[in-house]
Amino acid sequence: MNREVFIDDHLIPLRIFYQRHHTDPDNGLSDERAAVLLSMYGPNKLKRPPQENKFVRFLKNFFGGFAVMLWVGSLLCFITFSIQSIEADYDHLYLGVVLVTVVIITGLFTHYQQSKSGKVLEAFQSMLPEQATVIRDGRKLVVSAEDIVLGDVVDLRAGDKVPADMRIIECQGLKVDNSSLTGESEPQPRTTEPTSDVPFNTHNMAFYSTLVVSGTGRGVVVSCGDSSAMGRIAELTSGLKSAETPIAREIKHFVRLITWVAIAAGFVIGALSLSMGYHWLDAVVILIGIIVANVPEGLLVTVTVCLTLSAQRMARKNCLVKHLEAVETLGSTSVICSDKTGTLTQNRMTVSHVWFEGEVMAVDTSAEPRFDNLDVADEQFLALARVAMLCSRAEFDAEQLDLPVYARRVFGDASETAILKFLEAALGGVEEYRQQHQKVFEIPFSSDTKYQVSVHRTKEDGPSEYLMVMKGAPERLLERCTRVMVGEEEHALDHKWRLACQEAYGQMMAMGERVLGFCDLALPPDTYKRGYVFDAEKQNFPQTGMRFVGFMSLVDPPRPGVLEAVRKCRSAGIRVIMVTGDHPTTAAAIARAVGIFTVQHSFDSGAARRYAEGAHGTPTPDLPGQAPAVARYPSLLQDLGTSVAARYPSLVYEPYAGISRQPSLLSERPTRDSNWPPLTAPGRQASVFPQQDQLSRQGSLLFPPTSQPRTAALIHGDDLRDWSSEELDNILSTYDEFVFARTSPTQKLSIVESCQRLGYIVAVTGDGVNDAPALKQADIGVAMGVTGSDVAKQAADMILLDDNFATIVTGVEEGRVIFDNLKKSIAYTLTSNTPEMLPFAVSVLAKVPLPLGIMAILCINIGTDLWPAISLAYEQAEQDIMTRRPRDPVRDKLVNSRLICIAYLHIGQLQAAAGFFAYFTVMALNGFMPCRLFGLLEEWNAKGIKDLQDSWGREWTFEARKDLEYMCHTAFFVAIVVVQWADLLICKTRKVSLLQQGMRNWPLNLGLLVCSAMACFMVYTPGVNTTLRLRPLRPELWLCGVPWALLILFYDEVRRYLIRKHPGGWVDREFYY
């Protein structure tokens, strides 16, 4: 399991910290020491990893897969031609040239893959700062960010990019945007004190390339370049080797299979020919024929064109495919590890609930919200809105005031932006109201005080000269209030109302939302007259006695359509796992909102870990940041019943706007006699597809029996950090639904690797830098096109142009369709291998003139079969495409034994029979009855025999015999074309009747005409037919293959009927490919 680098620079006392880095907080480093450190450790930038030679990568395209067999075949052709006599024809030379041409064309066709490592690093480089302000020898200098060294004292201000990892030693209102590193939606406040042992989670660290949103600060550099958090992510990402895609593995498996078939058939028939007295050159010719017959020369082109067509269809649906093979990979996916921020959610903070009139009211969080359920004219709502308008620094961009409210750019942090847009949309006139109430004093929000306060002038005729407004953490504000506004009345903030307020904001916090309280105070005009000077140091203004006016809660809402998309993934048998750097409570709430958590109770990581260690029955802690529900929400005892509350003392009340209004149990504290779900032991053998096959392999039950209740787990990154690979595998094998929160980039990568070890095909979605390593490691990485960083886009294989998770479902369906259609296309292509090989075997064993020539075989493989094979990519999806389980990569191969059996031994044999029927028919019509042909080969090929007699006693010269042989080749070729019509039709569907599937695939319908037209062109065009060793054929001889084509249609329709009639029966098991 990937381990993170442990540092303690943020934990040790400052005195020891300064000594360790030989620096001074006021004077910084000396110029001499900075120069020494720069020469020792190098510049503060990311190093480029070594890359594979481009020329070597280019050559690999010409010496892999079937290309090796074709090179061998062409070499044998050239050798055979070179040692033949002068009178020899040029057939072998032509054939060798054709085979080399095929290799070159397919090699160039596949040279589209590029190394991604360099591009990923370039994307990281574009995020890095260019300059920084440092303190050296007591002087403030602006230096290049590359010249920053360990121990440098750096000043930060709003708008700066942090030039290196640093510990904050001074700050005032400092906030940084860590979303690209940690996935947190909001800018995070920085302090001078450590808040966590984990560097990513502590508030006294700022990281390389993150953006300073507001405030000022000073820090001491602790890591530079490749040693920084960003550098480690870049190294982790660019250092990962791109995993072989499932379709690439399937093609490789197919190549190996066909190669062995070709080698075995070639050497067996070649050895038989030598043992029967054939010349070794004749044996070589037979070997060449077997190789050419078995190698589907047009397959690579067919596969690439099919994937390209699918990629184009996906692009029209806002899914951009960077690597063609990723199309099929997404269809094979069995696990989706999704980021939360910007992927499942909209990456925009939005007001989701408000509390006034003693009730929590839901707010529409859509892109075009309606506020029909809110009484915006209510006195308390107007008081709440007034405080929210004034106690804010957010402002609209003056150049975008003509745009809709939610489309305008706002200058300010995420929370204030959300509140400003909500108030402008609900009431309007925010800027005008602020101008009427000018701000005269302000104390910005800080993580220490947890509130923001400002004083504003009131109207001239008002009862007071100044109005003080405050917003912040609810518990801090309630401490300062003595009154609460409810409707048009004010009440004393006694114990009853405090409990009501605590219950209200507790419910909103339990939904994973950020809750802000608001209060105000009209300052007494006798004491605070116009012109009064407020002083933050002296605090010459009231600290208590304020009036509480309400709450607002904010959330990064789920994207529209995500809930339905997750449901479709479930119906397709795909697990969706949330992996985020955000807070566990927020992550769990969003998980339930989008359907990732569906069960009524889950176990937190502490419980899961203790159970994994064998500590059964040990009470588990509440979720991070969760207070006991009974203490926080006393009214829930009445809502849920005392028995439920007593049984689950740490329940979390989690209604979500627009999803559910019922309490749910997100975590429970099991008693000692609780019935825990059985834990999977390490090394357990279990079927990933228990209903589909009996194959056992390492892994977990992806689809547990419906009789077993689902279980869910919320895993905290702090716990995950201590687990071994085996422990993580064990946990993933135990529970059904997962949310991983507060995870680092290394942990995200570990989760992906664990899923892959368990045998899953993993897709990872994400948009931030922190997602890049996991995106690169995954079987398919999916980045967001709008909000995604360049790093994420470069590391991914696919980009969602609309940032909509729901688009992935479209991609999954398209991927499954393309796999089905590729299987059909290969079945169609392989079927003609049998009638192409058997003529050589029959010619050797029965010593008859060769029924089919090598050039005719090439005409089929790279001529008449190419368009029909590609046209199957347009075939419509079968009805059950999105209700099937993900295919088992072990059993459900692109080319399996059943497909080989159907292609070679069933349909292939019928096609061969059609070819031989045409061959013997032509021979008989020209005087050579079947009984005369057996044993005739040696005399037939003897150039010295000028008077070979047929069955009728006529004499044939060598030239006349060869002309008749080429006519036989033509008849055999035409018969294969005719029966391939039937083969194309039966390959449209693997189970459904052809009558049900219909003929709506117009490229395929056109393919029937195209292959026929190509065959006519090759047969009847003078010069072309001579070159291809074909001859014009009498029209009635085209009918030789028709009865066999009808027999193929009937045979396969019966096969499909029996599969439908007896699902799971013998025919289904043995003949459904």
Side-chain angles (χ1 to χ4, degrees):
M1 189 171 184
N2 295 296
R3 293 291 182 184
E4 299 184 56
V5 178
F6 176 78
I7 61 173
D8 61 354
D9 282 312
H10 62 294
L11 299 173
I12 61 177
L14 283 174
R15 178 178 57 81
I16 301 176
F17 173 75
Y18 295 142
Q19 292 176 357
R20 174 183 291 182
H21 292 284
H22 306 284
T23 191
D24 181 88
D26 298 318
N27 298 319
L29 297 174
S30 65
D31 289 333
E32 293 78 10
R33 178 162 181 78
V36 170
L37 291 174
L38 186 63
S39 63
M40 287 176 59
Y41 298 107
N44 176 37
K45 65 179 183 179
L46 306 182
K47 296 178 182 178
R48 187 176 298 277
Q51 298 183 13
E52 184 182 13
N53 185 278
K54 292 183 179 180
F55 183 69
V56 173
R57 191 165 62 246
F58 175 76
L59 288 180
K60 286 181 178 179
N61 295 309
F62 300 93
F63 295 95
F66 290 127
V68 175
M69 292 181 63
L70 294 179
W71 280 119
V72 172
S74 63
L75 181 61
L76 291 174
C77 287
F78 293 137
I79 293 174
T80 303
F81 173 77
S82 64
I83 63 178
Q84 283 179 328
S85 60
I86 301 298
E87 294 81 11
D89 56 37
Y90 289 84
D91 283 7
H92 293 99
L93 177 62
Y94 295 154
L95 181 58
V97 172
V98 169
L99 294 179
V100 170
T101 303
V102 170
V103 172
I104 293 175
I105 291 175
T106 54
L108 293 173
F109 199 73
T110 56
H111 186 60
Y112 65 89
Q113 292 185 350
Q114 300 290 332
S115 173
K116 293 186 287 183
S117 296
K119 292 183 179 179
V120 170
L121 192 64
E122 290 170 8
F124 275 104
Q125 297 282 10
S126 67
M127 300 183 62
L128 306 183
E130 297 180 356
Q131 292 184 322
T133 303
V134 302
I135 309 297
R136 289 183 181 170
D137 284 330
R139 295 174 291 118
K140 187 173 292 189
L141 305 173
V142 177
V143 301
S144 170
E146 292 188 2
D147 295 335
I148 296 290
V149 295
L150 295 178
D152 258 328
V153 178
V154 181
D155 280 348
L156 300 173
R157 60 183 178 182
D160 288 348
K161 280 187 177 180
V162 180
D165 290 0
M166 60 182 65
R167 175 174 177 172
I168 302 301
I169 59 174
E170 295 178 15
C171 65
Q172 183 173 2
L174 183 65
K175 288 186 178 182
V176 294
D177 181 4
N178 283 347
S179 60
S180 63
L181 281 177
T182 64
E184 293 164 307
S185 306
E186 294 186 84
Q188 299 299 302
R190 301 292 91 175
T191 65
T192 58
E193 298 298 326
T195 57
S196 172
D197 293 343
V198 182
F200 269 125
N201 297 341
T202 188
H203 284 185
N204 67 332
M205 288 287 292
F207 299 101
Y208 195 17
S209 82
T210 56
L211 181 66
V212 178
V213 176
S214 63
T216 59
R218 175 172 289 186
V220 176
V221 174
V222 298
S223 297
C224 295
D226 291 331
S227 299
S228 65
M230 178 67 72
R232 291 196 295 273
I233 295 174
E235 182 180 6
L236 196 61
T237 305
S238 58
L240 290 171
K241 293 183 179 180
S242 298
E244 193 175 37
T245 62
I247 191 64
R249 292 194 292 269
E250 295 298 330
I251 295 295
K252 183 180 290 186
H253 170 263
F254 172 55
V255 168
R256 285 198 302 265
L257 184 63
I258 299 301
T259 299
W260 282 112
V261 170
I263 291 174
F267 277 98
V268 167
I269 297 176
L272 284 174
S273 63
L274 289 174
S275 66
M276 295 174 68
Y278 286 86
H279 192 272
W280 70 270
L281 274 179
D282 295 327
V284 169
V285 172
I286 293 171
L287 178 61
I288 295 172
I290 296 296
I291 291 175
V292 173
N294 273 280
V295 174
E297 289 83 0
L299 175 69
L300 207 51
V301 176
T302 301
V303 171
T304 305
V305 171
C306 290
L307 293 175
T308 301
L309 292 173
S310 186
Q312 291 173 350
R313 289 198 296 268
M314 293 179 68
R316 291 194 291 269
K317 299 174 183 177
N318 293 318
C319 191
L320 178 64
V321 178
K322 290 174 56 184
H323 306 96
L324 292 180
E325 293 177 351
V327 176
E328 192 282 326
T329 305
L330 191 56
S332 303
T333 297
S334 52
V335 168
I336 299 176
C337 293
S338 177
D339 185 31
K340 178 186 73 69
T341 306
T343 307
L344 298 172
T345 65
Q346 301 177 30
N347 198 23
R348 63 176 181 91
M349 294 301 291
T350 305
V351 175
S352 55
H353 292 88
V354 293
W355 182 85
F356 64 96
E357 292 278 7
E359 295 184 9
V360 176
M361 306 295 293
V363 177
D364 187 357
T365 59
S366 64
E368 298 180 359
R370 298 172 60 87
F371 306 107
D372 298 338
N373 63 322
L374 296 180
D375 184 4
V376 295
D378 181 87
E379 282 294 326
Q380 185 179 358
F381 180 81
L382 292 175
L384 174 63
R386 177 179 64 178
V387 177
M389 288 180 184
L390 299 178
C391 195
S392 173
R393 290 183 166 188
E395 296 179 350
F396 286 115
D397 185 345
E399 297 180 355
Q400 296 189 349
L401 295 180
D402 56 334
L403 296 178
V405 172
Y406 281 86
R408 299 177 192 173
R409 182 167 59 243
V410 176
F411 301 111
D413 67 33
S415 297
E416 292 192 342
T417 295
I419 295 172
L420 175 60
K421 289 184 175 181
F422 165 65
L423 295 174
E424 184 68 24
L427 296 174
V430 173
E431 186 58 34
E432 292 79 0
Y433 192 84
R434 288 176 176 177
Q435 291 176 359
Q436 296 171 5
H437 300 78
Q438 293 292 323
K439 185 186 300 183
V440 297
F441 172 73
E442 181 183 40
I443 298 178
F445 181 89
S446 74
S447 56
D448 295 326
T449 62
K450 294 187 178 180
Y451 65 78
Q452 175 182 348
V453 62
S454 59
V455 178
H456 301 260
R457 291 193 183 96
T458 59
K459 296 181 179 179
E460 296 292 339
D461 56 350
S464 175
E465 296 287 345
Y466 296 104
L467 175 70
M468 186 168 69
V469 293
M470 182 182 294
K471 75 174 180 187
E475 64 275 11
R476 294 295 178 90
L477 265 63
L478 289 173
E479 293 173 355
R480 289 168 167 74
C481 295
T482 57
R483 295 166 295 137
V484 59
M485 185 177 185
V486 182
E488 299 180 1
E489 301 177 354
E490 291 186 12
H491 300 273
L493 192 58
D494 54 16
H495 180 70
K496 170 188 172 182
W497 280 107
R498 285 188 184 275
L499 284 179
C501 291
Q502 289 173 0
E503 183 174 350
Y505 81 73
Q507 291 179 12
M508 291 185 281
M509 290 178 67
M511 291 184 278
E513 301 177 3
R514 183 186 182 190
V515 184
L516 295 174
F518 298 84
C519 59
D520 63 8
L521 177 64
L523 298 180
D526 296 339
T527 306
Y528 302 93
K529 298 179 179 180
R530 194 168 295 275
Y532 184 86
V533 179
F534 294 88
D535 192 322
E537 295 293 334
K538 297 179 181 179
Q539 295 189 349
N540 56 348
F541 50 86
Q543 300 289 310
T544 57
M546 305 188 74
R547 179 184 67 167
F548 187 77
V549 295
F551 298 112
M552 288 187 186
S553 67
L554 301 100
V555 70
D556 182 8
R559 289 184 175 276
V562 169
L563 177 61
E564 182 61 28
V566 173
R567 286 174 178 167
K568 287 183 178 180
C569 287
R570 285 187 180 278
S571 69
I574 301 172
R575 263 187 176 182
V576 181
I577 298 175
M578 181 190 292
V579 185
T580 180
D582 213 340
H583 194 280
T585 305
T586 305
I590 295 296
R592 188 171 294 280
V594 300
I596 293 176
F597 272 174
T598 60
V599 294
Q600 288 298 311
H601 55 278
S602 318
F603 298 102
D604 62 30
S605 57
R609 184 185 180 195
R610 277 190 293 278
Y611 190 85
E613 293 171 351
H616 300 216
T618 304
T620 64
D622 293 308
L623 295 177
Q626 173 189 340
V630 174
R632 288 164 52 200
Y633 320 133
S635 67
L636 292 184
L637 289 172
Q638 300 174 1
D639 296 338
L640 299 178
T642 55
S643 61
V644 176
R647 184 179 177 187
Y648 302 105
S650 63
L651 62 87
V652 177
Y653 185 74
E654 192 210 358
Y656 193 85
I659 303 297
S660 173
R661 284 293 176 186
Q662 300 300 321
S664 61
L665 301 175
L666 192 60
S667 175
E668 64 174 349
R669 183 178 291 168
T671 57
R672 291 187 179 275
D673 58 350
S674 295
N675 184 21
W676 289 62
L679 187 69
T680 305
R684 171 186 79 155
Q685 296 291 324
S687 173
V688 179
F689 303 87
Q691 305 297 329
Q692 201 175 60
D693 64 88
Q694 305 301 320
L695 180 67
S696 295
R697 64 187 176 90
Q698 182 71 27
S700 65
L701 284 172
L702 179 58
F703 309 105
T706 54
S707 60
Q708 296 181 5
R710 283 188 174 274
T711 56
L714 176 63
I715 310 297
H716 196 290
D718 288 348
D719 297 301
L720 184 60
R721 184 172 292 103
D722 300 327
W723 290 352
S724 66
S725 299
E726 292 74 17
E727 287 175 314
L728 179 57
D729 293 351
N730 217 357
I731 294 299
L732 285 170
S733 300
T734 304
Y735 297 99
D736 305 310
E737 300 170 351
F738 287 94
V739 170
F740 292 88
R742 287 291 192 220
T743 55
S744 67
T746 304
Q747 291 170 342
K748 290 187 178 185
L749 178 60
S750 299
I751 294 166
V752 173
E753 291 174 337
S754 179
C755 290
Q756 290 174 328
R757 283 194 300 272
L758 293 174
Y760 297 115
I761 295 177
V762 184
V764 171
T765 69
D767 62 346
V769 176
N770 57 328
D771 301 314
L775 287 169
K776 185 76 177 292
Q777 174 65 30
D779 294 289
I780 177 169
V782 183
M784 303 297 110
V786 178
T787 59
S789 65
D790 289 341
V791 177
K793 293 176 186 177
Q794 293 288 6
D797 303 292
M798 188 177 293
I799 299 173
L800 302 183
L801 300 179
D802 57 356
D803 281 18
N804 193 345
F805 179 84
T807 306
I808 295 177
V809 178
T810 302
V812 170
E813 182 175 359
E814 189 66 41
R816 292 188 174 190
V817 170
I818 201 61
F819 185 83
D820 275 8
N821 289 346
L822 279 176
K823 185 183 281 281
K824 296 172 184 177
S825 181
I826 289 174
Y828 169 80
T829 303
L830 291 184
T831 303
S832 61
N833 282 9
T834 299
E836 291 171 356
M837 282 193 303
L838 282 181
F840 293 94
V842 171
S843 178
V844 169
L845 299 176
K847 294 188 177 182
V848 300
L850 185 64
L852 183 67
I854 297 176
M855 297 300 289
I857 293 174
L858 286 175
C859 291
I860 297 171
N861 289 354
I862 59 178
T864 58
D865 273 1
L866 199 57
W867 182 303
I870 294 174
S871 71
L872 284 167
Y874 292 91
E875 194 62 35
Q876 294 181 352
E878 298 182 23
Q879 296 177 353
D880 63 342
I881 194 74
M882 286 303 289
T883 56
R884 303 176 192 167
R885 297 183 173 115
R887 71 177 183 88
D888 181 356
V890 175
R891 182 178 186 271
D892 193 9
K893 295 287 187 182
L894 184 65
V895 179
N896 53 32
S897 59
R898 298 179 301 282
L899 188 150
I900 293 292
C901 179
I902 291 291
Y904 280 84
L905 301 181
H906 293 242
I907 308 301
Q909 295 293 342
L910 293 175
Q911 290 194 352
F916 281 110
F917 177 74
Y919 166 75
F920 286 118
T921 299
V922 172
M923 281 293 192
L925 290 175
N926 286 275
F928 288 93
M929 303 305 289
C931 58
R932 177 71 178 95
L933 293 174
F934 292 100
L936 189 62
L937 181 61
E938 188 174 348
E939 294 178 81
W940 185 276
N941 288 331
K943 293 184 179 181
I945 299 178
K946 302 294 186 179
D947 54 355
L948 181 65
Q949 292 186 352
D950 61 17
S951 301
W952 298 340
R954 293 179 301 180
E955 296 180 349
W956 291 74
T957 64
F958 176 77
E959 290 75 14
R961 296 197 302 270
K962 281 297 175 183
D963 195 62
L964 177 58
E965 181 181 325
Y966 294 151
M967 186 176 292
C968 290
H969 293 180
T970 307
F972 206 110
F973 163 73
V974 167
I976 293 178
V977 170
V978 172
V979 291
Q980 280 290 78
W981 296 343
D983 188 27
L984 182 62
L985 294 177
I986 67 173
C987 286
K988 283 169 59 68
T989 170
R990 295 185 293 161
K991 181 183 291 186
V992 179
S993 169
L994 185 59
L995 299 176
Q996 292 177 292
Q997 187 74 2
M999 296 295 292
R1000 294 182 293 273
N1001 184 348
W1002 289 106
L1004 183 143
N1005 299 339
L1006 183 60
L1008 292 170
L1009 299 177
V1010 169
C1011 72
S1012 304
M1014 290 183 66
C1016 291
F1017 174 78
M1018 296 173 185
V1019 170
Y1020 296 110
T1021 304
V1024 174
N1025 53 14
T1026 304
T1027 303
L1028 298 176
R1029 300 298 185 261
L1030 300 176
R1031 293 295 181 267
L1033 199 65
R1034 289 158 51 183
E1036 61 269 21
L1037 292 177
W1038 282 70
L1039 299 176
C1040 292
V1042 172
W1044 302 95
L1046 295 176
L1047 180 59
I1048 289 172
L1049 288 172
F1050 175 76
Y1051 171 84
D1052 205 68
E1053 190 68 30
V1054 171
R1055 179 186 67 88
R1056 292 194 298 270
Y1057 170 77
L1058 293 175
I1059 290 174
R1060 297 193 304 272
K1061 183 71 173 178
H1062 305 286
W1066 180 78
V1067 177
D1068 188 11
R1069 294 194 307 271
E1070 298 299 328
F1071 299 115
Y1072 177 68
Y1073 61 87

